[in-house]
Amino acid sequence: MKIGFIDLYLGNWHATHLPDILKKIATDRGADVQLAYAWAKEDVSPVTGQTTDEWCKTYGAERCATIAEVCEKSDCIAILSPTNPEYHLPFAKEVLPFGKPTFIDKPFAVNAKEAEEILAIAKEYNTPVYSSSALRYATEIHAVEKPIFIATTGGITTYEEYIIHQIEMVVAALGIGATGVNAVKMGELVHFEIFYPDGRTANMMASGDAAVMPFTVIVGNDKDRKFKEVTSDIFYAAYDDMVRFFTEKTCSFDPEETVEVMRIRDMTLEAVKRIGL
């Protein structure tokens, strides 16, 4: 199974770590899974300074001249560009008509409206598609059965890119149905409360320093609550599920949760604006 990468530029964290993780997953699964093709809109990475040719040589990918060439040659597609989700919709418009199973990195889109548009295009062409933060795959979220409460912490650089991780944990635990988000600045921290109409509750605490505030969760139901720091191998688990998706062409969770994550992100970013951040 040959995977093609589509990216804004290839020298980013996900593009440079995913190939090695894929090799390990291929070995563990005994599967023929490999990065084979790549295309980037920008030739030079502003992060690493690598050119597309240099990146492809390092990671053993064939550079393609167009998105269409990647899609024609590949069995499945990974649209990356994690820091610039504004490119996900335009990339998806070119990729999804090929009908190849497609993973789209987080954040799935710039807002819920564009997320719904991407899913509509996928439905039109009967193309399997999904997106998720790796934090969805934290085993710590499942410390209790059928949780009705979750509280998360985590460090961020920007709310636009990184609050998605905590939101993904919330939705993975509680499902869909959030109706609002409130934010309160608490010194160096920002606290978010997510509202539900049926008794479920969710809280997120964000810090500008990941070293000061690692990802943690408190999950609970009517009988029990557990506190856990997220130490499970989330990236391996996430990309292992991506490989399974490429093979089976089915998402391991309700795709409506992808849109829910984006809805809560929209409400969270509005809450941030209301408190002047």
Side-chain angles (χ1 to χ4, degrees), residues 195-244:
F195 301 104
Y196 295 85
D198 56 5
R200 290 174 290 169
T201 58
N203 296 271
M204 305 186 300
M205 187 76 76
S207 164
D209 188 341
V212 170
M213 184 168 281
F215 288 112
T216 69
V217 296
I218 304 172
V219 286
N221 54 31
D222 289 332
K223 297 180 180 179
D224 194 16
R225 290 190 180 187
K226 300 288 187 183
F227 169 78
K228 300 283 184 178
E229 182 174 348
V230 175
T231 58
S232 52
D233 192 346
I234 56 175
F235 291 107
Y236 182 93
Y239 292 129
D240 184 61
D241 192 45
M242 182 182 76
V243 170
R244 181 211 57 79

Side-chain angles (χ1 to χ4, degrees), residues 77-250:
I77 308 296
I79 297 176
L80 301 180
S81 189
T83 303
N84 298 92
E86 65 270 20
Y87 287 95
H88 288 172
L89 177 58
F91 288 165
K93 287 179 177 179
E94 295 191 57
V95 171
L96 297 180
F98 284 88
K100 308 287 179 76
T102 301
F103 167 78
I104 301 178
D105 213 341
K106 59 79 203 162
F108 185 46
V110 295
N111 53 43
K113 181 181 178 182
E114 286 199 3
E116 290 172 339
E117 187 173 350
I118 291 172
L119 292 177
I121 297 169
K123 183 177 180 180
E124 178 184 355
Y125 292 99
N126 196 30
T127 301
V129 65
Y130 94 106
S131 177
S132 178
S133 158
L135 268 295
R136 167 177 285 276
Y137 297 89
T139 59
E140 293 81 4
I141 298 170
H142 309 292
V144 303
E145 294 184 0
K146 298 179 179 179
I148 59 172
F149 164 82
I150 184 170
T152 66
T153 70
I156 63 170
T157 302
T158 66
Y159 293 101
E160 288 79 6
E161 184 172 357
Y162 288 101
I163 198 64
I164 198 84
H165 294 310
Q166 292 190 58
I167 296 171
E168 194 84 45
M169 289 192 284
V170 169
V171 175
L174 300 187
I176 65 175
T179 57
V181 176
N182 189 47
V184 178
K185 192 173 187 306
M186 303 170 61
E188 297 298 315
L189 308 177
V190 177
H191 171 259
F192 299 94
E193 183 178 9
I194 303 173
F195 301 104
Y196 295 85
D198 56 5
R200 290 174 290 169
T201 58
N203 296 271
M204 305 186 300
M205 187 76 76
S207 164
D209 188 341
V212 170
M213 184 168 281
F215 288 112
T216 69
V217 296
I218 304 172
V219 286
N221 54 31
D222 289 332
K223 297 180 180 179
D224 194 16
R225 290 190 180 187
K226 300 288 187 183
F227 169 78
K228 300 283 184 178
E229 182 174 348
V230 175
T231 58
S232 52
D233 192 346
I234 56 175
F235 291 107
Y236 182 93
Y239 292 129
D240 184 61
D241 192 45
M242 182 182 76
V243 170
R244 181 211 57 79
F245 163 78
F246 286 154
T247 303
E248 300 177 9
K249 302 180 182 180
T250 58

Side-chain angles (χ1 to χ4, degrees), residues 1-49:
M1 183 167 59
K2 295 181 178 180
I3 301 174
F5 281 11
I6 305 293
D7 213 333
L8 176 59
Y9 52 85
L10 285 163
N12 60 70
W13 194 95
H14 289 203
T16 56
H17 285 77
L18 182 49
D20 286 341
I21 298 174
L22 285 173
K23 288 178 183 178
K24 187 175 189 308
I25 292 169
T27 300
D28 293 348
R29 281 180 170 264
D32 181 18
V33 178
Q34 60 176 310
L35 166 64
Y37 305 103
W39 174 91
K41 182 178 177 66
E42 296 180 1
D43 187 54
V44 180
S45 166
V47 178
T48 65

